[in-house]
Amino acid sequence: MSLKKQYNQTKPVCKVTFKLAKELVSTANQVVLTGDFNNWDIESIPMKKLKSGEFTASVDLEKGKEYRFKYLIDGSKWLNEPEADKYVPNEFQGENSVVIV
């Protein structure tokens, strides 16, 4: 798993690539990236399954902000990013991952 950040030199944007290791999603058919940046929409950012078995998606995020997010696996299991910049409590007695750009 990883978060890769590519900052744009001319615009206040950072391209963040989210990648889930196959060990964590080996039996998954679908993984969706959801968070503050898409109003927690569970359909708008499906992750692409790579030949390696990993899932990946990239999102352009405004620099200078923090974004809460999670992965939704097969429509039923929520997963945090182990390499998130930090974690914050959520209203479901759990935690959300945070990426800082």
Side-chain angles (χ1 to χ4, degrees):
M1 284 203 239
S2 66
L3 295 173
K4 181 180 175 186
K5 301 173 189 176
Q6 294 175 290
Y7 290 91
N8 189 309
Q9 299 300 319
T10 59
K11 298 178 184 174
V13 175
C14 178
K15 178 180 180 180
V16 181
T17 300
F18 300 81
K19 188 181 282 188
L20 275 170
K22 67 179 180 179
E23 294 80 20
L24 293 170
V25 289
S26 60
T27 61
N29 293 311
Q30 179 188 38
V31 179
V32 176
L33 173 63
T34 183
D36 291 341
F37 41 80
N38 70 348
N39 282 333
W40 295 92
D41 184 338
I42 60 170
E43 297 177 354
S44 69
I45 308 177
M47 298 181 77
K48 180 181 179 182
K49 188 170 187 176
L50 304 175
K51 290 180 183 179
S52 64
E54 298 171 308
F55 281 83
T56 187
S58 295
V59 180
D60 287 338
L61 301 175
E62 185 180 341
K63 287 195 263 185
K65 294 190 174 187
E66 296 185 5
Y67 299 90
R68 296 177 184 212
F69 72 97
K70 284 183 101 87
Y71 303 107
L72 180 59
I73 300 169
D74 292 332
S76 61
K77 180 182 174 190
W78 291 99
L79 179 67
N80 275 323
E81 169 61 64
E83 295 181 19
D85 294 327
K86 69 178 187 178
Y87 303 94
V88 294
N90 64 29
E91 61 270 22
F92 305 107
Q93 285 69 49
E95 291 182 324
N96 290 332
S97 304
V98 175
V99 59
I100 302 169
V101 291

